[in-house]
Amino acid sequence: MTDDSTSRRLTSARFSVSKGLVTMAVSTVVLVILGFAIAPSSVSQGAVLGMLPFASVLAIVGLGQMLVVQQGGIDLSVPGAVSLAVVLSTHIPNQNDAMLVPAILAVYAWAIGAGVLNGFMVGRLGLNPIIATLGTNALLFGAVLGISGGIPRTTTRLLSSIAGGRTMGIPNALLIALVVLLLVTILVKRTVAGRRFEAVGASPAAARATGLRYRTHRGAAYVWAQLLFATAGIMLAGITNQPTAFQGNTYLLTSVAVVVLGGTSLLGGRGYPVATVVAALFLSQLDQFVLALGVPFAVRTLVQAAALAIGVAIYTVDWAALRRRLVARSDAATATP
Amino acid sequence: MNIQAAEAPATVATLVMSGISKSFGGVAALTDVSLEVRPGEVHALLGENGAGKSTLMNVATGTIRPDAGSMVFRGEPIDGIDPRDATRLGIAFVHQHPAVLPDMTVYENLLVALPPAVFAEAPSREEFARSLLARVNLRAHLSDRVETLSVAQKHLLEIAKAIAVKPALLVLDEPTAPLGEDAVRMLFRLVREFVAGGTSVVYITHRLAEVRELADRVTVLRDGRLRATAVVDEISDRELLALIVGRQLDSTFPPKHDGPDEAPNFIIEGLTGPGFKDVSLTARRGEIIGIAGVVGNGQSDLLRALAGLSHFEGSVSINGTQVTSKRLLGEAAYLPADRLSEGLMMRLTVRENAAISALERFRTGRLLNRKRELGMVGDTLGSLSVKAASLDAPVSSLSGGNQQKVMVGRALLSEPELVLADEPTQGVDVGARAEIYQILREVSASGIPVIVASSDAKELEGLCDTVIVMSRGHVVDVLRGDDLTEERMIHAAVSSTTSTVGVEDITDADVDERTAVRRAKIRRFVQGDYAPAVLLVAVMVLLGAFIFAQNDRYLGAFNISAMLLLVSALGFIAMGQTIALLTGGIDLSVGPLVGFLVVIGSFFILNESSTASILLGFAAMLGTSIVVGLVNGTLIRYVKFTAIAATLTVYIALQGMSFILRPTAGGYINADISRAITTKIGPIPVAFIVLVLVVVALEYALRRTPWGWRLRAAGSDEESARRVGVEINRTVVLAYVATSVLTFFGAIMLMTQIGVGDPAQGVAYTLSSITAVVLGGTSLLGGRGTFVGTLFGAMLLVQVLNATVFLRLDQMWQYILQGILILAAAILYAVARSKRRRRAARKV
């Protein structure tokens, strides 16, 4: 194509910044500034280095959840999937570094199995994603207990040094999360399948009318999600020295929370990977901040709930329409006796 | 023009509308229209698509508020009425799209939509309902689910609802469109009966034959203006036609095809599919094919089939090659009429929309080449002179004309073999129209066959080289050359007397009834709400028998009462969850709520507490649950959160509050109270008996009271429910309050079981309550379900968990059995439902 741009030629910006990303980035910066001002221990080097690996795990789980949510679904099998990955990558090697690779292969094999099961039930059979993934979650926990008997094992040294270690002062987990983010972004934005995937999420009806295989794309989201959950589980096994069999439980609600905070609608539509990762960072730092203030654990939860409520309200409430309606209502009230 | 001066009416007119004007976003839909409907007359409203007929009647029924003009109903001014007022005054409107609730039965649809007074005069409500169905000749059983009715039957049901209220004014909006011949005759008979009884009927139609047969007077609208009102017997068809057609056209058309007569490059032979029958046409290179007809007569169905979106029989060949449906799906570019929901992905950008069908062309290696994509998309959209802020602008921000051009751009970029445009200029401004015509002409000239369906006959006259006119799925005329005029098209469309394709099932049902009454009864049960409950009982008995064979202590009094106590806690919570799911929502917060309520109780209901304190404790628990329900409902209905987002927020908040009140477990629950709550009669806990009674009461309320009908109506189809007069917001908010209050009862049971205020308890009830409800067959889509099923679901769930103990299975099996149970139930119910839906779809 030649570069004969005329005056009315339409252009495209290289990068675009979503509302969710701006909201989350600003919130995170405010949180850090607040940290310096009133809770310095929340931004100490130790606190930040301790927080980042867990934020990275949450970010990866969140990215998986985002892929499902952008297809109008939800994946409740997060706890089972993460826990199973944790258990497989600690139990199979049993502290033998040589067994780590087979263990990781096993993790991904299970992930693909669970993802295909979810994808088939939701995409092909048209099951409600809540039920389908709830059932899969129970089966995954069955596998967790079958493999581990509920007894934790210590992580291999190799995995612990990879996932828990640092490169040039930066936690490896964060680097892995960034690589995953890059991969997800490229796959969704720069490949044919990814672009179609995004279109199906944005409007299944329109995607169908243009001849796209919308069911397949819907189902595929669950496979990708499981692969990401598995990755997060392996990292979690490395970061935590002796992970329990139920390590994934805390990630169910938080994964949905970071997706929602990142601006992806629970009704489906476009997904915002970068904003989701920043939201994971925000939520983790929020925890640190509240912790540093010395208030009880419970308050952290309340703050999370408030953050979620405000986040959802920012994106879902049509503020302009609300104002119009309020004005119209007061007009109507004066017009009709 | 022969506008008749309205003679002075002998009695007070039923409806007088004078000087009505209405515009939508600057476009005038009605301009200074006046209409008078006399008592006991059938007044036909005639005009082309978009002439303003339905809009005028929506004004009369209060659905649309006019910008100017006044209305008088039986001598009373009725300006500023709403639909509810209209119904009260005796104005009934049978819409083109029936407001029926698919998940409810025929009988329940009547009960929820009609005022109770209507039923009062008949000996019993069912008898009245049956006589109503008989009057409209609807051969459906009262307990048939409306989802299983055909489109025609749904229309008859809608008509039945309208006549039941004995309206003073009955508005019928193209009522015969989906009906077969018998039903049309029945409808005409009904209309005559009504008119004889003094009712006035406004009859909106496109068909002259129906006007002649039925109407006393006729009013013709064109472009939102009154053309004439006349007595039917005093006006000829020719005169009527002249009043309908002759719209001023403001856009220009490119010259028509004028090339050598080549061999046809596009041939359709004997094409039959859903909504159209035996369509044949041919076109040569460079010719644009038009499909004319009144909206909804198979034009869109034909285009969809040609786009590969639905199956067809017959042959389609392009440039001498036979093409299959599958090939068409990939190679035909389809521009749907409904740009908003089907045409474009409104949330995506201009670039993404334009590029979606041509992504393979932008690829280098595995990845898309951004430069190439921008280049090609920019060039194409530039050549179509699309006006947008940038390629990154959301496509929803564009004007209608530019959106249409983006769709055309998408089609061009995909290098299609066939272009199918449905209403390509609807909502498009004049300038862009001419450009779109020009583009379609160019595409056609390049050798790609172009088919345009349009309800605007003038447009087809100007644009096309050959036009087929469709009526009720059949081709009623093929026009070329000099015959290709607006008049010929409208004449063919409005004077056709063919009956609709494929709605002959009304006679089928007749045969069905006689031959297989018993089969129908079984079918109704299997399709009904209670089949899952029976299935669950069977599974429970089998499982129980199996475990009993292994271990005879299983049916011992101790185990029975232990199980039933567990069922009582889960049961109450699951009842609440059932209500939330019936509205089409979900309540994730029940788990933390039950835990939080126990924590609250643990401050008041202690061993050393006074009676007052204990009562206060229960009151506090109940009050809290009501507040939580209100918060959930308000967030969902008024702040417009999704049910998941709203209840998830409340979930997290409640958990936080539990931990604030009791950072660690503490506060031992009063032992006497616990003992009282867990009192047993034999091995059966009283609490379980209470649960059963509550289930029975709720089940009765769900089936037999307005509360239950409204609840299910709101969950089944919000829009239809609103139209039949259900207050959605109030219904749903109250439903969430009910969910929380039932959770409160669950909390009382849980309190006695854990005996202490523990902030970590209860959370698991969210998922187990959903599991129990799903096992019981309640649909997560809303509108259908049973409390009885949920009770059995809760019992089975508890039984399975208990079984693992008796069968000496470890914890792993608890999870696996639960997983298998829920997936098996979900798949079974989903498959059964999709089968049923397919059967209903075939009827259409």
Side-chain angles (χ1 to χ4, degrees), chain A residues 9 11 13 190 195 253 270, chain B residues 352 368 373 379 391-392:
Chain A
R9 191 186 168 84
T11 53
R190 285 276 177 275
R195 287 279 292 276
L253 299 180
R270 195 197 289 276
Chain B
E352 286 164 322
L368 293 170
E373 179 183 344
D379 282 350
L391 284 178
D392 302 323

Side-chain angles (χ1 to χ4, degrees), chain A:
Chain A
M1 286 296 127
T2 47
D3 222 350
D4 55 349
S5 22
T6 57
S7 58
R8 61 155 186 236
R9 191 186 168 84
L10 294 169
T11 53
S12 170
R14 186 89 216 182
F15 299 103
S16 64
V17 179
S18 72
K19 192 170 158 189
L21 181 54
V22 173
T23 314
M24 278 301 108
V26 170
S27 310
T28 313
V29 169
V30 168
L31 195 59
V32 170
I33 293 172
L34 270 179
F36 278 115
I38 55 175
S41 67
S42 75
V43 285
S44 68
Q45 199 192 8
V48 171
L49 287 178
M51 176 272 291
L52 282 177
F54 288 99
S56 306
V57 172
L58 177 57
I60 294 174
V61 177
L63 284 172
Q65 189 69 270
M66 181 202 76
L67 292 175
V68 174
V69 168
Q70 84 176 92
Q71 295 294 338
I74 191 163
D75 196 333
L76 301 185
S77 64
V78 170
V82 173
S83 302
L84 182 61
V86 166
V87 160
L88 283 170
S89 48
T90 50
H91 272 260
I92 295 180
N94 197 13
Q95 299 187 57
N96 174 5
D97 283 345
M99 288 298 288
L100 189 59
V101 172
I104 286 175
L105 290 179
V107 171
Y108 283 114
W110 271 94
I112 291 173
V116 168
L117 177 64
N118 279 336
F120 177 76
M121 289 189 295
V122 176
R124 206 42 48 189
L125 299 180
L127 255 58
N128 185 302
I130 293 178
I131 309 181
T133 56
L134 195 61
T136 305
N137 188 51
L139 292 181
L140 290 173
F141 266 120
V144 166
L145 292 169
I147 291 163
S148 71
I151 305 147
R153 275 185 188 174
T154 309
T155 311
T156 65
R157 199 162 299 157
L158 180 60
L159 182 59
S160 156
S161 70
I162 295 172
R166 284 176 215 158
T167 307
M168 293 187 296
I170 303 166
N172 287 340
L174 180 64
L175 296 175
I176 296 173
L178 291 177
V179 169
V180 169
L181 171 64
L182 194 67
L183 271 177
V184 169
T185 310
I186 288 177
L187 281 175
V188 173
K189 306 279 176 191
R190 285 276 177 275
T191 65
V192 172
R195 287 279 292 276
R196 289 180 177 161
F197 178 83
E198 201 168 35
V200 171
S203 170
R208 186 179 137 74
T210 51
L212 296 182
R213 287 187 295 178
Y214 69 108
R215 290 173 167 211
T216 312
H217 285 288
R218 287 212 135 170
Y222 292 86
V223 181
W224 291 112
Q226 286 291 333
L227 289 174
L228 290 176
F229 299 158
T231 308
I234 295 168
M235 285 166 60
L236 194 57
I239 297 165
T240 325
N241 190 32
Q242 203 177 42
T244 70
F246 297 91
Q247 202 74 35
N249 274 347
T250 49
Y251 287 94
L252 175 57
L253 299 180
T254 42
S255 73
V256 178
V258 297
V259 171
V260 171
L261 284 175
T264 307
S265 164
L266 283 173
L267 300 171
R270 195 197 289 276
Y272 299 98
V274 181
T276 303
V277 169
V278 178
L281 196 65
F282 168 74
L283 219 52
S284 308
Q285 182 57 28
L286 187 65
D287 253 15
Q288 292 286 320
F289 176 70
V290 183
L291 192 71
L293 286 180
V295 294
F297 163 79
V299 176
R300 285 158 65 187
T301 324
L302 280 184
V303 171
Q304 271 186 13
L308 186 61
I310 294 167
V312 178
I314 287 175
Y315 308 128
T316 60
V317 177
D318 186 349
W319 295 104
L322 191 70
R323 257 196 308 278
R324 272 198 306 277
R325 214 173 54 205
L326 286 177
V327 172
R329 192 173 289 173
S330 59
D331 281 356
T334 50
T336 51

Side-chain angles (χ1 to χ4, degrees), chain B residues 86-254:
Chain B
T87 312
R88 211 164 23 77
L89 287 168
I91 304 178
F93 194 164
V94 177
H95 291 267
Q96 267 176 294
H97 303 284
V100 290
L101 301 154
D103 293 301
M104 297 168 73
T105 66
V106 171
Y107 183 45
E108 287 164 342
N109 261 277
L110 293 173
L111 289 172
V112 73
L114 299 177
V118 171
F119 293 93
E121 49 204 80
S124 82
R125 291 199 296 198
E126 289 194 28
E127 202 138 309
F128 178 75
R130 257 193 292 271
S131 72
L132 210 53
L133 297 192
R135 280 186 73 186
V136 297
N137 226 359
L138 173 56
R139 286 168 205 249
H141 196 276
L142 280 183
S143 42
D144 273 341
R145 222 193 267 286
V146 166
E147 182 189 63
T148 65
L149 300 187
S150 70
V151 175
Q153 286 175 315
K154 284 178 193 159
H155 271 267
L156 293 178
L157 179 59
E158 184 74 359
I159 293 168
K161 276 166 24 188
I163 64 170
V165 295
K166 299 212 172 67
L169 175 65
L170 176 64
V171 181
L172 297 165
D173 193 351
E174 290 186 51
T176 59
L179 300 182
E181 240 171 276
D182 286 356
V184 169
R185 243 176 283 132
M186 177 280 309
L187 179 70
F188 285 3
R189 203 187 58 234
L190 260 176
V191 168
R192 286 193 196 98
E193 265 172 41
F194 259 86
V195 173
T199 298
S200 307
V201 175
V202 172
Y203 191 93
I204 302 176
T205 184
H206 285 101
R207 293 167 199 280
L208 293 182
E210 293 180 357
V211 174
R212 287 255 169 258
E213 184 167 353
L214 209 56
D216 303 306
R217 293 197 305 157
V218 54
T219 291
V220 183
L221 294 182
R222 195 181 71 197
D223 280 343
R225 289 168 190 278
L226 179 72
R227 290 282 282 155
T229 297
V231 175
V232 172
D233 296 336
E234 295 171 6
I235 189 167
S236 70
D237 275 7
R238 283 237 343 256
E239 286 169 312
L240 274 177
L241 211 58
L243 289 170
I244 300 171
V245 301
R247 210 160 63 72
Q248 284 299 310
L249 208 67
D250 23 26
S251 43
T252 49
F253 294 97

Side-chain angles (χ1 to χ4, degrees), chain B residues 571-588:
Chain B
F572 278 115
I573 301 167
M575 290 310 134
Q577 190 68 264
T578 309
I579 294 180
L581 291 184
L582 279 170
T583 66
I586 194 165
D587 192 345
L588 299 178

